[in-house]
């Protein structure tokens, strides 16, 4: 199964021609349409220039357990 066959609308994919990750929005006219993860203007890419991306968990940059909400109270411990 090729990379494009594993893609679904809403999944993350890497545009290997630009080395940019986007969210799949459409398959149209033999192209894969992607939108930046942060939002913005879509772009299209040839199917042979796109590969699926497995989302990585966001553990942040701190040294905690990763279960906090990012507030000052989390950093200082229980209130």
């Amino acid at each position: 199964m090729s990379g494009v066959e594993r893609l679904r609308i809403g999944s993350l994919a890497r545009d290997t021609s630009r080395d940019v990750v986007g969210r799949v929005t459409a398959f149209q006219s033999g192209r894969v349409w992607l939108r930046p993860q942060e939002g913005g203007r879509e772009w299209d890419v040839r199917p042979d220039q796109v590969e699926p991306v497995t989302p990585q968990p966001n553990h942040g940059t701190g040294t905690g357990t990763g279960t906090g909400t990012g507030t000052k109270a989390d950093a200082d411990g229980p209130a």
Side-chain angles (χ1 to χ4, degrees), residues 12-78:
L12 293 176
R14 178 179 313 282
D15 174 348
T16 59
S17 69
R18 296 173 47 186
D19 194 30
V20 177
V21 173
R23 193 160 303 278
V24 177
T25 61
F27 302 97
Q28 187 175 18
S29 302
R31 309 285 282 186
V32 179
W33 286 81
L34 303 173
R35 180 181 303 278
Q37 293 182 77
E38 304 80 25
R41 188 176 182 139
E42 291 177 310
W43 75 96
D44 63 309
V45 63
R46 293 188 338 232
D48 64 330
Q49 295 177 320
V50 66
E51 62 187 21
V53 172
T54 303
Q56 299 296 314
N58 183 3
H59 294 295
T61 57
T63 58
T65 62
T67 59
T69 60
T71 64
K72 184 173 182 340
D74 289 333
D76 294 339

